[in-house]
């Protein structure tokens, strides 16, 4: 499947561009709309994807919302409020998707571009990758879930400093903080490495990957008792899925599990 913007590759990787060459690699409304539609089709079972790959089509992964659009709006408050809610629809679908997600973070990830990168289960950077909140730089506060995700990844204190100082984080710092999952050996390899990782994950237990994301992301707001219960329910639910049955059976038969066949 390929519309003008999203592409479902033969190996089940759903590629969603979040920015295009134009506008300084700012978020592309059409791309986000297409990506949201594709993720909703996956949820309804109308699109048989097994992993999601987020990409930037220009020199940068994404420079966030298009600042010139903000300036030209008649009612800046309502315009930005509407954009943020539209972005939330996309990010809510990304968080809820029962698939592993990978971001190919080439160049800059700024503003909502950084927020989107934080939502990915895996973020592959390059030697010159940099992450920057950018919001305070233009007098704004974060959106796209950054104030929820960042403290859960780096801690509240470090998140406050990064946000309030609008820190530009280089690749090594971002890796050390857990904001990148790996750094490709060369900038030119970011896209291919992220694509390769998405393909690897598409052959794995995609339902288990999604369950791990939700257990981890809800753990900080759960008591231990609530988390123990959530884990017990999750492992029980997965045990009777196609992938869960295949994983156990393959182990006992001493063979490599065929998760893609078990899921479809
Ligand atoms: C149901 C689904 C509905 C679908 C619709 C979904 C809606 C999608 C949109 C949602 C938007 C929500 C709101 C958003 O979340 C809010 C934000 O993101 S606020 C933060 C905005 N971003 C920024 O402030 C970052 C600004 N840019 C920079 O800081 C730097 O450019 C950089 C990214 C660090 C890169 O720096 P450099 O490499 O030095 O490059 P330059 O700065 O020289 O820029 C090159 C060129 O590009 C222009 N440009 C860069 N960023 C933006 C931008 N965000 N908007 C517009 N233009 C940008 C820059 O002006 C330069 O232009 P030139 O001077 O060459 O003409």
């Amino acid at each position: 499947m390929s519309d003008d913007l999203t592409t479902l590759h033969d190996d089940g990787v759903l590629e969603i561009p979040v920015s295009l060459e134009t506008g300084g690699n700012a978020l592309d409304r059409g791309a986000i709309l297409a990506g949201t539609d594709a993720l909703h089709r996956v949820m309804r079972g109308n699109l048989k994807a097994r992993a999601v790959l987020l990409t930037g089509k220009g020199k940068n992964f994404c420079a966030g919302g298009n600042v010139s659009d903000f300036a030209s709006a008649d009612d800046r408050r309502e315009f930005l409020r509407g954009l943020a809610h539209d972005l939330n629809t996309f990010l809510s679908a990304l968080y809820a998707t029962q698939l592993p997600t990978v971001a190919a973070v080439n160049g800059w990830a700024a503003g909502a571009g950084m927020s989107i990168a934080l939502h990915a289960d895996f973020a592959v950077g390059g030697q010159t990758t940099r992450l920057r909140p950018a919001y305070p730089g233009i007098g704004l506060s974060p959106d796209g879930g950054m104030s929820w995700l960042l403290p859960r990844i780096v801690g509240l204190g470090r998140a406050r400093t990064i946000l309030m100082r609008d820190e530009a984080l280089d690749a090594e710092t971002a890796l050390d903080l857990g904001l990148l999952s790996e750094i490709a050996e060369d900038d030119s390899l970011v896209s291919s490495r992220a694509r390769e990782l998405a393909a690897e994950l598409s052959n794995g237990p995609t339902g288990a990957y999604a369950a791990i994301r939700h257990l981890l992301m809800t753990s900080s707001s759960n008591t231990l008792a609530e988390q123990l219960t959530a884990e017990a329910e999750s492992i029980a639910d997965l045990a009777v899925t196609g992938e869960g049955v295949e994983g156990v059976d393959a182990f006992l038969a001493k063979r490599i599990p065929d998760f893609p066949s078990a899921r479809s």
Side-chain angles (χ1 to χ4, degrees):
M1 179 278 295
S2 177
D3 53 39
D4 291 345
L5 295 163
T6 59
T7 303
L8 179 60
H9 296 282
D10 293 343
D11 58 6
V13 173
L14 174 61
E15 183 170 348
I16 300 175
V18 295
S19 70
L20 302 176
E21 299 260 6
T22 53
N25 305 141
L27 270 169
D28 182 83
R29 290 178 62 90
I32 300 294
L33 182 57
T36 305
D37 175 61
L39 289 171
H40 286 167
R41 290 171 65 197
V42 170
M43 283 183 198
R44 293 194 297 266
N46 299 334
L47 202 56
K48 298 296 182 189
R50 292 188 50 80
V52 176
L53 175 63
L54 304 173
T55 61
K57 289 302 179 190
K59 70 172 183 173
N60 298 315
F61 174 66
C62 180
N66 193 315
V67 179
S68 50
D69 288 349
F70 308 164
S72 57
D74 293 334
D75 181 337
R76 291 190 185 191
R77 182 184 185 282
E78 282 313 302
F79 180 74
L80 205 47
R81 186 174 174 277
L83 282 182
H85 281 293
D86 284 346
L87 179 64
N88 292 347
T89 303
F90 170 64
L91 293 173
S92 299
L94 191 64
Y95 180 75
T97 189
Q98 294 302 298
L99 303 176
T101 57
V102 180
V105 187
N106 59 301
W108 281 99
M114 179 173 168
S115 299
I116 292 172
L118 298 185
H119 278 270
D121 299 322
F122 297 88
V124 178
Q127 301 299 317
T128 63
T129 291
R130 284 170 286 178
L131 280 68
R132 178 180 168 224
Y135 297 99
I138 57 173
L140 301 179
S141 54
D143 68 357
M146 189 180 289
S147 61
W148 189 86
L149 281 163
L150 193 60
R152 279 168 171 75
I153 298 170
V154 307
L156 183 59
R158 190 74 179 88
R160 178 169 47 197
T161 308
I162 290 169
L163 277 168
M164 286 192 169
R165 301 296 289 156
D166 196 8
E167 284 188 44
L169 305 169
D170 64 20
E172 285 297 336
T173 304
L175 183 69
D176 290 345
L177 289 170
L179 302 177
L180 291 178
S181 52
E182 62 182 90
I183 300 174
E185 288 176 12
D186 185 90
D187 283 349
S188 63
L189 300 176
V190 170
S191 179
S192 56
R193 173 55 193 148
R195 177 75 180 79
E196 178 186 64
L197 176 57
E200 286 170 18
L201 292 167
S202 74
N203 281 316
T206 55
Y209 295 146
I212 290 166
R213 173 195 312 138
H214 290 280
L215 285 169
L216 288 173
M217 288 303 175
T218 53
S219 63
S220 57
S221 49
N222 279 345
T223 64
L224 174 58
E226 290 166 338
Q227 194 66 16
L228 289 171
T229 300
E231 289 174 337
E233 292 305 315
S234 176
I235 193 170
D237 290 343
L238 284 170
V240 292
T241 62
E243 292 176 343
V245 171
E246 167 62 10
V248 170
D249 291 355
F251 176 82
L252 296 175
K254 300 193 186 306
R255 59 176 174 78
I256 296 172
D258 180 0
F259 291 118
S261 301
R263 182 181 177 92
S264 53

